[in-house]
Structure formats: C-alpha cells, structure tokens
Amino acid sequence: MLENTLPQFAASLASKAPVPGGGGASALAGALAAALSSMVCNLTAGKRKYAQYEADIERIANSAAELRLELLCLIDEDAAAFEPLSRAYSIPKDDPARAEIMESALETASRPPMEIAVRCAKVIDLLSELAEKGSAIAVSDVGVAAQLAKSALLGAGLNVRINARSMTDRARAQALLARLDALESAGVPLADAVYSRVMERIG
Amino acid sequence: MLENTLPQFAASLASKAPVPGGGGASALAGALAAALSSMVCNLTAGKRKYAQYEADIERIANSAAELRLELLCLIDEDAAAFEPLSRAYSIPKDDPARAEIMESALETASRPPMEIAVRCAKVIDLLSELAEKGSAIAVSDVGVAAQLAKSALLGAGLNVRINARSMTDRARAQALLARLDALESAGVPLADAVYSRVMERIG
C-alpha cells in the first residue's frame, strides 16, 4: 500500500475490496498528524526566539519522525491483519471450525487498530507541548495536526470496538475496550485543549 | 504532489518547505473521508436488504466520487495558492509595495482552504445519510469517515482563519469568517451526530 500514490490509495479505499478500510485511513491520518508535528519542529529549531525550547524540540522531532514511520507501516499491518478475518466471514455458518477461526481472526484484526490508537495518543502528547513551544508561524499546523490525530484515534477506536463486539472471549474484549477507553478519555480532551489553545493564539 | 507515494507525501509534509502544510493535509483527510463514503456505497449497492435505498446510494456514490477527486486536486491547488504568500513574507518590511502584494497573496491563499471546508461539509452531509442507509457491515467506516471529515473541515478552517487574521480589508476577512462559521456550525454537530449514531449501531 505504501507504494501507492495519493489518488491510487484513495481509489483503493473507495473500492469494495476488504482492505484498505477505516483502519488504514486512520493510520494515514495519524501519520499526517505526526508529519505536521515534525514540520512544526523543523520551523522552530534553531530560531533564537525559541532557543529555550531547543532540547525539547529536538526530542519532539525524534518522536514525531518515529511515530510517522510506525503509523505508515501500520497501514500495511492493518491490511495484513484484516485478511484472515475477511476470509473467516466467508466460512459457512454451519462449519464447526468457524467459531474458533473467527475468534482468532478477530483478535488478530484488533491489534493494528489498537497500535494506531496508542500512537495517535502519543502524537497528541507531542502536540500539547508544541502548542506552547512551537513557532508562532506554524501555530495553525499544530491545530490541524491535533484535529487529525484525534480523528485517527477515534477512527482506530471504532475498528477496535467493532472487532471486540464479536469476540466470544468477553474478558479479552473488555480488556481491549478498557485500554481503548483510557487512551480516548486522555487523548480526546487533550487534542481539544490543543485546538482551543491554537484558536486563542490565532486570536 | 499527487504523484507522491504516501511516505513521500508524509515526508514532504514533515519538511520545513512551505508546502505542503496543514491545508494539503486537511484536503487529503477530506479525500479519505470521501473515499470511505464511496466504499460504504459500494458495499451497500445491489444488496437486497438495502434495496429501498438503491437510488439514494447511487446518488451518494456519485457525489462522493466527485468530492474525492476535487479534494485530491485541492492538495495541489492549496500548494500553488500558498506560494505567492510564502514569497510575500520575504519582501522587506520597509518595501512600500509589500502591503498590497501581501493583501492579494492572503486573499489567494485563503481560497483553497475555503473550498476544502465547503467540500468536507458536503462529505459530512453524505455521511449523515449513510449512517442510516449504509450496510451494517461498513458502519464503522461511516464513523471513521465522519471523524476524518470533521477534522479536515476544522483543519481547513484554521487555514482560512490564519489568513483572514492578517488581511487589512476587514470586511473581506469578516465575510470569509462568517462563511466558515456557517460551515463549521452546521458540519461539526452533524459529524458528531453521525459518530454517535455509529457508536449506537455498534452497540
């Protein structure tokens, strides 16, 4: 998927093929948020006005670059992890092996969206620092990135939820949902606070 | 920009080059939301269970395909429209021609983000129909798309706001901001309602 041009990826997403879908789109949106975080760091580093934040900006830049690459890889990982589930759905409902294969496929398919959610929450953490320490010339980009990372977190979350819903192992499903709730209930208000701070700085 | 692979586009976004930036990232997120809307239509069309919505789904599919292509083109249009502004910022502050060039560049740069916002609001309208009429197997994708379209609308909005702020023609700036406020105050609650409806359907 990573060799696709932007219009090719968008066309694959539009098709009825099982992948890419909402998980891959969320991973890409998260990668765009991480990329914008890097851009803000690149426009802040070395500027005298922000010299007091130089070490912070370097640390944020390193994390943002890593998160961008991980989120891009998660586009492919999500597609690979969804394939067994897509095949499991086509097993006849009266096949006695179906339930076990389905349960295993649901577990596999829920992993990449959870990893996407974890990384989007980390991008939001970086942005909450950049809302204060990033160059004023890139303040709107911090706000755009916060919105994109929040949508990617909630989008990945929907993909965890839809898989967790069908799991017969309810303890596993509840553990996944609890982990997701913790990420969302920290990340969403933080992203909203970043956006509000940006609106304040834009004035 | 449209010939870039996903990692190439993300790397350009991460660089300190003036484009692409938050406007292009918002346009791409909007295009992903439109693409997911198409996918939902493709998974719904021709299914007996949704036969009553067949004509609606066809209409939504046509609009979504058009919006996807327009939003992809807006990535390049945003970059082209930002370049004169990027050059205007480098004109010495005591150059008497600066103010007029800057005002014209701000006006040019604000156009594509407004067009992005208009189209994202239209994608959200389509999604509010798909939340009811789209196949249950793609319900999470409707929710992902609603989140992405909302973030793209607000992200494009920040790019309109940051340009409007610097305009000396305050009447023009106020007209832009009023138009944006109307789009956001209709689109944001509608996207939130779509996401809530999806959460309800996931259960």
Side-chain angles (χ1 to χ4, degrees):
Chain A
M1 225 85 81
L2 296 182
E3 295 188 358
N4 277 352
T5 64
L6 306 184
Q8 283 169 342
F9 183 76
S12 311
L13 201 56
S15 82
K16 68 194 296 182
V19 292
S26 299
L28 178 53
L32 298 178
L36 284 170
S37 306
S38 293
M39 183 182 91
V40 176
C41 291
N42 285 327
L43 291 167
T44 307
K47 293 288 184 327
R48 203 178 340 180
K49 194 171 167 191
Y50 303 97
Q52 59 178 315
Y53 301 131
E54 195 70 24
D56 292 326
I57 293 296
E58 194 185 329
R59 172 179 47 76
I60 296 168
N62 289 336
S63 298
E66 198 177 335
L67 289 165
R68 177 176 98 239
L69 299 179
E70 289 171 350
L71 283 159
L72 286 168
C73 289
L74 278 159
I75 300 172
D76 278 345
E77 289 168 28
D78 186 69
F82 188 76
E83 272 168 24
L85 183 58
S86 176
R87 282 196 304 273
Y89 277 119
S90 67
I91 299 173
K93 290 215 168 130
D94 57 1
D95 185 327
R98 190 181 198 265
E100 201 181 324
I101 294 172
M102 180 67 86
E103 184 73 5
S104 159
L106 286 166
E107 204 268 322
T108 301
S110 67
R111 282 186 198 178
M114 183 63 90
E115 291 304 313
I116 296 164
V118 166
R119 278 161 185 80
C120 291
K122 287 186 186 171
V123 173
I124 294 170
D125 286 338
L126 301 181
L127 288 163
S128 78
E129 279 196 76
L130 288 176
E132 302 305 329
K133 300 172 183 171
S135 168
I137 65 161
V139 67
S140 65
D141 300 293
V142 173
V144 175
Q147 288 294 341
L148 289 174
K150 181 175 90 163
S151 69
L153 168 56
L154 291 171
L158 284 172
N159 283 270
V160 172
R161 287 178 201 285
I162 200 134
N163 290 318
R165 179 180 65 160
S166 304
M167 289 176 181
T168 42
D169 182 344
R170 295 315 300 159
R172 172 183 282 160
Q174 291 309 326
L176 278 173
L177 293 173
R179 194 172 169 215
L180 179 65
D181 281 339
L183 289 170
E184 289 182 354
S185 56
V188 170
L190 191 56
D192 289 339
V194 171
Y195 177 77
S196 298
R197 179 72 183 113
V198 167
M199 286 286 273
E200 222 177 78
R201 283 181 70 185
I202 289 181
Chain B
M1 226 85 82
L2 295 182
E3 296 189 355
N4 277 353
T5 63
L6 306 183
Q8 283 169 343
F9 183 76
S12 311
L13 200 57
S15 81
K16 68 195 297 182
V19 292
S26 299
L28 178 53
L32 298 178
L36 284 170
S37 307
S38 294
M39 183 180 89
V40 176
C41 292
N42 286 327
L43 291 167
T44 306
K47 293 288 185 325
R48 202 178 342 179
K49 193 172 167 190
Y50 303 97
Q52 59 179 314
Y53 302 131
E54 194 70 24
D56 292 326
I57 294 296
E58 193 185 329
R59 171 181 45 76
I60 297 169
N62 289 335
S63 298
E66 197 177 335
L67 289 164
R68 178 175 97 239
L69 298 180
E70 289 171 351
L71 282 159
L72 286 168
C73 289
L74 278 159
I75 299 172
D76 278 343
E77 289 168 30
D78 187 69
F82 189 76
E83 271 168 25
L85 182 59
S86 175
R87 282 196 303 273
Y89 276 119
S90 67
I91 300 172
K93 291 214 166 130
D94 56 0
D95 185 328
R98 189 180 199 267
E100 201 181 323
I101 294 171
M102 180 67 86
E103 184 73 4
S104 159
L106 286 166
E107 205 269 322
T108 301
S110 67
R111 282 184 196 178
M114 183 62 91
E115 291 304 313
I116 296 165
V118 166
R119 279 161 185 79
C120 290
K122 287 185 185 171
V123 173
I124 294 169
D125 285 339
L126 301 182
L127 288 163
S128 78
E129 280 197 77
L130 288 176
E132 302 306 329
K133 299 171 184 171
S135 167
I137 67 162
V139 66
S140 66
D141 299 294
V142 173
V144 175
Q147 288 295 341
L148 289 174
K150 180 175 93 165
S151 70
L153 168 57
L154 291 171
L158 284 172
N159 283 270
V160 172
R161 288 179 200 286
I162 200 134
N163 290 318
R165 179 180 65 161
S166 304
M167 290 177 181
T168 41
D169 182 344
R170 295 315 299 159
R172 170 183 284 160
Q174 291 309 327
L176 279 174
L177 293 174
R179 195 171 167 215
L180 179 66
D181 281 340
L183 289 170
E184 290 182 351
S185 55
V188 170
L190 191 56
D192 288 340
V194 171
Y195 177 77
S196 297
R197 179 72 183 114
V198 167
M199 287 286 272
E200 222 176 79
R201 283 181 70 186
I202 289 182

